[in-house]
Amino acid sequence: MNLNVNFNDKLPIYQQIINQIIFRIVSGELAPGDEISSVRKLAESLVINPNTISKAYYQLEMMGLAEKRRGMGTYVTTSAVEIARGLGTDIILSSIDSLLQESSTLRIPLDDLVLLIRKRASKLKGGLHD
Amino acid sequence: MNLNVNFNDKLPIYQQIINQIIFRIVSGELAPGDEISSVRKLAESLVINPNTISKAYYQLEMMGLAEKRRGMGTYVTTSAVEIARGLGTDIILSSIDSLLQESSTLRIPLDDLVLLIRKRASKLKGGLHD
Amino acid sequence: MNLNVNFNDKLPIYQQIINQIIFRIVSGELAPGDEISSVRKLAESLVINPNTISKAYYQLEMMGLAEKRRGMGTYVTTSAVEIARGLGTDIILSSIDSLLQESSTLRIPLDDLVLLIRKRASKLKGGLHD
Amino acid sequence: MNLNVNFNDKLPIYQQIINQIIFRIVSGELAPGDEISSVRKLAESLVINPNTISKAYYQLEMMGLAEKRRGMGTYVTTSAVEIARGLGTDIILSSIDSLLQESSTLRIPLDDLVLLIRKRASKLKGGLHD
DNA sequence: GTGGTCTAGACCACA
DNA sequence: GTGGTCTAGACCACT
């Protein structure tokens, strides 16, 4: 599945895995009905403890994105695409709201904020050679 | 001082307090020479462990934003405004960075993100009509 | 044979199959001498691993409900009805026991439980008017 | 908190803990706002691994029954009573439905089923010397 | 003190 | 093969 984790990231490993799988579902790389790498295989390929993968999969199940079938593996649910898109939007909206609140407290005009965002975006892109 | 903390936020409480005081200094709500709520009062009003407030105040002192006067309380320093402005920008920038990272994970184009921000801003300005 | 399995049920799939066949024998839907679906056919129609069906059939054989005839298939034994009746009662009793345990955990009085059952029964009988 | 676990029970330990806490919330023994035993204390008193308690508490949090406050402990939520009652009812109703379905398959009249339940209830009570 | 994350490794039931 | 449960023990941030 080509996932990758960053051990130095402040984000917990299991959360990184969750995010990447959500991303793959939204992008269509993982379609409903597809099998997700087994706990052990993924643990082996990422050189991570299986329990950590389990924790990620468990949360994906709780979110309604994945379902486990006993003895068979873990699969993307039919409703996963819709849910994943919604989850992503919710996260973004709440981030936007808190950003707007911060910038209004600092009396930064909206247009300046947008400029700042654009400048930052081009910097981040440049930094990642992307 | 009308601070408020969110127990469910991913940001630690002491960090929330620091940020809010920085914002209040930048906005002029807290001016150099003003006294900051005592640890005990604030802890009581926010229903928080006094140690948490202490930790926040200590860091504000280290940043040069506040100074403790023996037996009198904690006060905003004369150089606080200048320092806080820079710090406020730092907070905004890190908020912007995490927003950009989230939206790139969800493959939301930058222009769509900006549109979303503008829409959200007009909604927040307009009040609770949503 | 119109069996159906529920992947989300706490009951293992092989157990679900056993129970359903027992019930069909008691109700007369499956009579002594009748052939039971072959492992392959049933596995195919239920989209289940053939080993799971085999495990269920093996246990039915051990219980004296089914017998394998070499090269011909699996058949309901002559003594199946009698045995199945007892087993069916066992299943009912264990269902009753777990229900009673749950309701005692929630401190629901026995009389209230019976009322609830009667109400539920009339609803189910009445069809989908709920 | 006087919880107790049975290591020989087929029900996982963490599930036993969840059930007992739900029961205590429904019965009022644990009220909204109350602190639930800390992970470590409970682990020590039950002679169980802290991770197992953690797992139980995590699920209680997911169900909306408990909330964790960083560095402070775990508390019963305000809406816990309502949720707990609903959860219990849901479980009971689905158990009743499957019982009714089983008994109808075995052509057991409703009145006979009720008699069976009453007989079983008095037997269970007697067995537990309760 | 509190909970959160992670590892290493065991044993189990299910398909 | 699959996931589920549990243990023992480590290190971390937060209050």
Side-chain angles (χ1 to χ4, degrees):
Chain A
M1 287 208 317
N2 290 329
L3 298 189
N4 49 60
V5 293
N6 177 1
F7 290 92
N8 299 319
D9 201 310
K10 59 182 174 179
L11 220 60
I13 296 174
Y14 77 88
Q15 190 63 49
Q16 295 181 39
I17 293 170
I18 292 172
N19 288 352
Q20 291 184 41
I21 289 180
I22 290 178
F23 159 61
R24 271 163 182 70
I25 290 173
V26 173
S27 77
E29 203 172 324
L30 272 175
D34 281 3
E35 185 177 359
I36 303 178
S37 279
S38 85
V39 169
R40 282 164 187 154
K41 277 185 191 165
L42 190 54
E44 202 175 336
S45 80
L46 295 180
V47 195
I48 278 180
N49 189 294
N51 286 335
T52 305
I53 312 285
S54 252
K55 188 171 185 177
Y57 283 14
Y58 175 76
Q59 295 219 13
L60 287 169
E61 199 181 13
M62 289 297 98
M63 294 173 184
L65 291 170
E67 61 182 349
K68 289 165 182 162
R69 298 187 198 143
R70 281 171 303 191
M72 298 182 63
T74 306
Y75 297 81
V76 178
T77 61
T78 1
S79 49
V81 179
E82 200 184 357
I83 297 173
R85 237 189 283 266
L87 281 173
T89 316
D90 286 352
I91 295 170
I92 290 279
L93 284 183
S94 94
S95 294
I96 288 177
D97 286 355
S98 71
L99 175 61
L100 287 171
Q101 204 199 355
E102 284 170 4
S103 71
S104 93
T105 311
L106 292 178
R107 309 208 187 297
I108 298 176
L110 180 56
D111 288 335
D112 287 9
L113 180 65
V114 168
L115 277 178
L116 210 55
I117 291 171
R118 291 196 181 278
K119 212 195 301 182
R120 204 71 187 168
S122 64
K123 200 173 281 179
L124 285 179
K125 259 189 181 165
L128 294 168
H129 307 295
D130 186 9
Chain B
M1 286 207 319
N2 291 327
L3 297 188
N4 48 62
V5 293
N6 179 1
F7 288 95
N8 301 317
D9 201 304
K10 58 183 173 180
L11 225 58
I13 293 174
Y14 78 88
Q15 191 62 252
Q16 294 181 37
I17 292 171
I18 292 173
N19 288 355
Q20 290 185 39
I21 289 180
I22 290 176
F23 283 147
R24 271 161 183 70
I25 291 173
V26 175
S27 75
E29 204 173 323
L30 274 175
D34 282 3
E35 184 180 0
I36 303 178
S37 282
S38 80
V39 169
R40 281 189 190 175
K41 275 188 191 164
L42 192 54
E44 209 173 322
S45 78
L46 295 180
V47 195
I48 275 181
N49 190 314
N51 289 335
T52 308
I53 313 283
S54 284
K55 186 172 185 176
Y57 282 15
Y58 175 74
Q59 295 216 17
L60 287 169
E61 210 180 352
M62 291 299 98
M63 294 169 180
L65 290 168
E67 56 184 356
K68 284 173 185 148
R69 299 187 194 149
R70 281 174 301 181
M72 298 184 60
T74 307
Y75 295 81
V76 179
T77 61
T78 30
S79 52
V81 179
E82 199 184 358
I83 299 173
R85 227 186 289 266
L87 290 170
T89 314
D90 287 351
I91 297 173
I92 289 277
L93 284 182
S94 93
S95 294
I96 288 176
D97 286 356
S98 68
L99 175 61
L100 286 172
Q101 200 196 1
E102 284 164 0
S103 70
S104 94
T105 301
L106 290 165
R107 286 203 175 151
I108 297 176
L110 180 56
D111 289 335
D112 288 9
L113 181 65
V114 168
L115 277 178
L116 210 56
I117 292 172
R118 291 194 181 281
K119 215 196 301 184
R120 205 70 188 168
S122 64
K123 245 177 214 168
L124 288 180
K125 250 190 180 168
L128 297 170
H129 300 310
D130 185 12
Chain C
M1 285 207 318
N2 290 330
L3 297 188
N4 48 60
V5 293
N6 179 1
F7 288 96
N8 300 317
D9 201 304
K10 59 184 172 179
L11 226 58
I13 292 173
Y14 78 88
Q15 192 63 252
Q16 294 181 38
I17 292 171
I18 291 173
N19 287 355
Q20 290 185 40
I21 288 179
I22 290 176
F23 283 145
R24 270 162 184 70
I25 290 173
V26 175
S27 75
E29 203 173 323
L30 273 175
D34 281 2
E35 184 179 1
I36 302 178
S37 282
S38 80
V39 170
R40 280 188 189 176
K41 274 188 191 166
L42 192 54
E44 208 172 324
S45 77
L46 295 179
V47 194
I48 276 182
N49 190 315
N51 288 335
T52 307
I53 313 283
S54 283
K55 187 172 183 177
Y57 282 15
Y58 176 75
Q59 295 216 16
L60 287 169
E61 210 179 354
M62 291 300 98
M63 295 170 179
L65 290 168
E67 57 183 355
K68 285 175 184 146
R69 300 186 194 152
R70 282 174 302 184
M72 298 185 61
T74 307
Y75 295 81
V76 179
T77 62
T78 29
S79 52
V81 179
E82 199 183 358
I83 300 171
R85 228 185 289 266
L87 289 172
T89 315
D90 287 350
I91 296 172
I92 289 276
L93 284 182
S94 93
S95 293
I96 288 176
D97 286 356
S98 69
L99 176 60
L100 286 172
Q101 200 196 2
E102 283 164 2
S103 71
S104 94
T105 301
L106 290 166
R107 288 205 174 149
I108 297 176
L110 181 57
D111 289 336
D112 288 9
L113 180 65
V114 168
L115 276 178
L116 209 56
I117 291 172
R118 291 195 181 279
K119 214 195 303 183
R120 205 72 189 168
S122 65
K123 244 177 214 168
L124 289 179
K125 247 188 182 170
L128 296 171
H129 299 310
D130 185 13
Chain D
M1 287 210 316
N2 292 329
L3 298 188
N4 48 59
V5 293
N6 178 1
F7 290 92
N8 300 319
D9 201 309
K10 59 182 172 177
L11 220 59
I13 295 174
Y14 77 87
Q15 191 64 50
Q16 296 181 39
I17 294 171
I18 292 172
N19 289 351
Q20 291 185 41
I21 289 180
I22 291 178
F23 159 61
R24 272 163 181 69
I25 290 173
V26 174
S27 77
E29 201 172 326
L30 273 176
D34 281 3
E35 184 176 359
I36 304 177
S37 279
S38 85
V39 169
R40 281 163 188 156
K41 277 186 190 163
L42 190 55
E44 202 176 336
S45 80
L46 295 179
V47 195
I48 278 180
N49 188 295
N51 286 335
T52 306
I53 312 285
S54 250
K55 189 171 182 177
Y57 282 14
Y58 176 75
Q59 295 218 14
L60 288 169
E61 198 182 14
M62 289 297 98
M63 296 171 182
L65 292 171
E67 60 182 350
K68 288 165 183 161
R69 298 186 198 145
R70 281 171 303 189
M72 298 183 62
T74 306
Y75 297 81
V76 179
T77 61
T78 1
S79 50
V81 179
E82 200 183 356
I83 296 173
R85 236 188 283 267
L87 281 172
T89 315
D90 286 352
I91 296 171
I92 290 278
L93 284 183
S94 94
S95 294
I96 289 177
D97 286 356
S98 71
L99 176 61
L100 286 172
Q101 204 200 354
E102 284 170 5
S103 71
S104 93
T105 311
L106 291 178
R107 309 209 186 298
I108 297 176
L110 180 56
D111 289 334
D112 289 8
L113 180 66
V114 169
L115 276 178
L116 210 56
I117 291 172
R118 291 196 181 279
K119 211 194 305 182
R120 203 71 187 169
S122 64
K123 199 173 285 179
L124 284 179
K125 260 188 180 166
L128 294 167
H129 306 295
D130 185 9

